[in-house]
Amino acid sequence: MKPARRELLSICVLLGVAFWGFVGWYCWDSSENRDFEFGYFGDFNRVGHALVRIPGVTVTRNWANEDITLEEFGYGITTIGGQPLDLSFGESDPMRDMSGQKLTRALTARIQQESQSKGPQQ
């Protein structure tokens, strides 16, 4: 076999392995939520973990619109005062790109804003 053909065959095999490796990873990663803060459910888990760490906030439910990518998702929460709130995160929500203390501060601010706009529990 000529060296040029051997190199071409090697490249084709490498591209095939990379393609099928990606397909396999995507199928495994998106088939169920494994609680990772990366991958298909990464944004969802990062936000959920941050909500749980906020004192006085209890997560009561969650939802996600699963498609080729994880589209919108949200959480139902109860504040320390017992007020129920629904928080939704669309595809372009900047909080989906945050992590750590920055995410916690942004979530706390959104919860306070939602609580004030909703008014006291009746």
Side-chain angles (χ1 to χ4, degrees):
M1 187 181 258
K2 293 182 180 180
R5 285 189 182 189
R6 188 176 309 134
E7 289 173 6
L8 182 60
L9 179 61
S10 296
I11 289 171
C12 288
V13 168
L14 181 63
L15 289 175
V17 168
F19 173 77
W20 288 110
F22 172 77
V23 168
W25 166 259
Y26 175 81
C27 290
W28 177 83
D29 186 42
S30 64
S31 66
E32 71 179 80
N33 187 349
R34 293 176 171 79
D35 211 33
F36 298 140
E37 291 192 3
F38 61 87
Y40 186 86
F41 289 97
D43 296 347
F44 176 80
N45 292 330
R46 219 174 14 264
V47 170
H49 294 161
L51 282 170
V52 169
R53 289 190 296 264
I54 297 173
V57 171
T58 303
V59 175
T60 56
R61 65 182 178 79
N62 61 58
W63 61 270
N65 183 10
E66 300 173 36
D67 199 7
I68 301 290
T69 61
L70 188 64
E71 293 179 348
E72 302 84 16
F73 62 86
Y75 292 89
I77 64 167
T78 303
T79 64
I80 197 165
Q83 184 180 35
L85 295 174
D86 290 315
L87 302 175
S88 297
F89 303 88
E91 288 180 274
S92 60
D93 193 312
M95 281 194 216
R96 291 178 68 146
D97 296 325
M98 295 179 191
S99 62
Q101 288 299 319
K102 185 175 181 180
L103 176 58
T104 303
R105 284 191 301 272
L107 286 169
T108 302
R110 184 178 286 182
I111 291 167
Q112 289 172 347
Q113 180 184 19
E114 294 281 331
S115 293
Q116 290 170 355
S117 69
K118 192 171 181 182
Q121 187 178 4
Q122 305 191 3

